[in-house]
Amino acid sequence: MMEVLIVKYGEIILKGLNRHLFEDRLLKNIRNKLKGLGEFKITKYQAAVYVEGMIDDFDYDEATVRLTKVFGILYVCRATKCEKDIEAIKNEALKCYNEAYTTGKTFKVEVKRQDKKFPLKSPEVQKILGDYIFSNHFKDAKVDVKNPDITVMAEIRDEGAYVYGKKVAGPGGLPLGINGKCSLMLSGGIDSPVAGYMIAKRGVDLMAVHFHSYPYTSERAKEKVITLAKILSDYAGRIELFVVPFTDIQLLINEKAQNDMLVLLMRRVMMRITEKLTELHGAKAIVTGESLGQVASQTIESMTVTNDVVSMPVFRPLIGMDKEEITKISRKIGTFETSIQPYEDCCTVFVPKHPKTKPQLSEIREEELKLEGIDSLVDEAIRNTEKIIINYSNGGN
């Protein structure tokens, strides 16, 4: 008998003739994620991937943790592979039940018989395993086939029988890299890392752009963003982080423009710079952490104004979420505690007391004409942008 991780995927099985492209990408991402754990073998069978360690001390616990951060995976099961012998299958099924058992828990058994040469059909194996578990716990075992506390699974395949109980949920979505590359506008707040996670979950590679206004924003604020990118890379793999020096641009806007338009003018310049960096580094769209109505710059009118300066698609994965929903995901992916550290970012300096919430495009364009020399400052900012490579710490993705 040996241990095996059974990896199940969900949305991929809905694909048509191009399904193999998604499966191949998922297998590649799984291999990359498990680098450094020692030799292992991966095989694909129907809508599942089987991971077997080829060394005695293969760390299945660590492998399970890593795989639950691979997009495209629905859940991971730690299974025992045994002979296709009903006595061996019974013993493993009872072990699975015992591991999950506590007084009062209900159970059921599910069996899939892919090997049609196996002499017993699925319902017959199901009954044998259920009876065996019940006979060993006859005082308190209760069957519930609709909503059991414990489900013992047995899959009988050509190469052996696999028995398992607990399923560990994965993130779902589509394999990273299958849908191209986008540019994430990454601040130090709660929202933008979540936006990065959500768009990466749709199979998108990420680069990130951060605007830094030293000395109005500190080196600690920059380090905070680097830390957020590292946490995000646990899911999104390697990220190129571009840190744009933004001080001179902000000072010019603050000096020349009408106070209630400062944020919108700043956002327009940020979008222009992000689009140029995005084009330069092979990405196809911009991603922001905006949520409709959350702040003045995130009204329909404000987003219309900021969209006006770019021609590429702008994705806003959080647009329909409230703060509680966004925070819940932030906690789940591990960025929340870093995001709430009290280091300012450039969006929190030079903030007007009464920003416009329903700006007209014509008045913003007119106000922008006051920013003499802004194009030179934009070019200079792009030239002086710092590039930082964020690698997934356990081996790349």
Side-chain angles (χ1 to χ4, degrees), residues 328-346:
K328 185 177 179 181
I329 298 173
S330 176
R331 290 183 187 279
K332 185 182 82 170
I333 65 177
T335 54
F336 180 77
E337 293 300 328
T338 301
S339 290
I340 62 172
Q341 290 175 4
Y343 305 126
E344 70 295 332
D345 62 46
C346 70

Side-chain angles (χ1 to χ4, degrees), residues 156-173:
I156 302 168
R157 299 186 181 277
D158 292 340
E159 68 279 12
Y162 299 85
V163 184
Y164 55 93
K166 186 179 178 183
K167 298 176 181 177
V168 183

Side-chain angles (χ1 to χ4, degrees), residues 224-390:
K224 174 184 170 183
V225 170
I226 293 171
T227 301
L228 287 172
K230 285 179 179 174
I231 297 170
L232 196 55
S233 75
D234 245 8
Y235 296 89
R238 183 179 185 271
I239 296 174
E240 294 174 323
L241 171 62
F242 297 90
V243 180
V244 181
F246 203 56
T247 311
D248 292 342
I249 291 171
Q250 272 197 290
L251 288 174
L252 177 68
I253 294 173
N254 190 51
E255 180 188 351
K256 301 289 185 182
Q258 192 175 307
N259 185 267
D260 59 355
M261 298 186 194
L262 293 182
V263 173
L264 290 169
L265 291 170
M266 182 183 72
R267 293 285 301 172
R268 281 168 65 90
V269 178
M270 286 177 167
M271 294 289 276
R272 287 172 59 191
I273 292 175
T274 301
E275 184 176 57
K276 287 190 177 182
L277 289 171
T278 302
E279 289 170 344
L280 282 172
H281 297 278
K284 303 294 184 187
I286 296 170
V287 181
T288 79
E290 291 162 310
S291 165
L292 187 60
Q294 189 180 108
V295 294
S297 65
Q298 295 176 21
T299 63
I300 292 175
E301 292 84 355
S302 295
M303 287 187 278
T304 301
V305 162
T306 52
N307 273 8
D308 172 60
V309 293
V310 294
S311 57
M312 64 172 47
V314 179
F315 297 144
R316 297 178 168 93
L318 314 186
I319 198 68
M321 292 186 184
D322 62 28
K323 200 68 179 181
E324 188 173 339
E325 292 169 315
I326 297 168
T327 299
K328 185 177 179 181
I329 298 173
S330 176
R331 290 183 187 279
K332 185 182 82 170
I333 65 177
T335 54
F336 180 77
E337 293 300 328
T338 301
S339 290
I340 62 172
Q341 290 175 4
Y343 305 126
E344 70 295 332
D345 62 46
C346 70
C347 295
T348 61
V349 296
F350 306 121
V351 176
K353 283 187 178 179
H354 303 289
K356 273 190 177 292
T357 56
K358 295 185 177 180
Q360 297 298 309
L361 187 53
S362 57
E363 64 178 349
I364 293 293
R365 286 176 173 170
E366 187 175 341
E367 193 67 16
E368 211 164 43
L369 295 175
K370 297 179 182 176
L371 305 179
E372 187 178 348
I374 188 69
D375 290 341
S376 298
L377 290 179
V378 165
D379 291 341
E380 186 180 343
I382 291 172
R383 277 198 305 275
N384 294 325
T385 290
E386 179 185 5
K387 178 179 174 180
I388 301 170
I389 302 296
I390 308 292

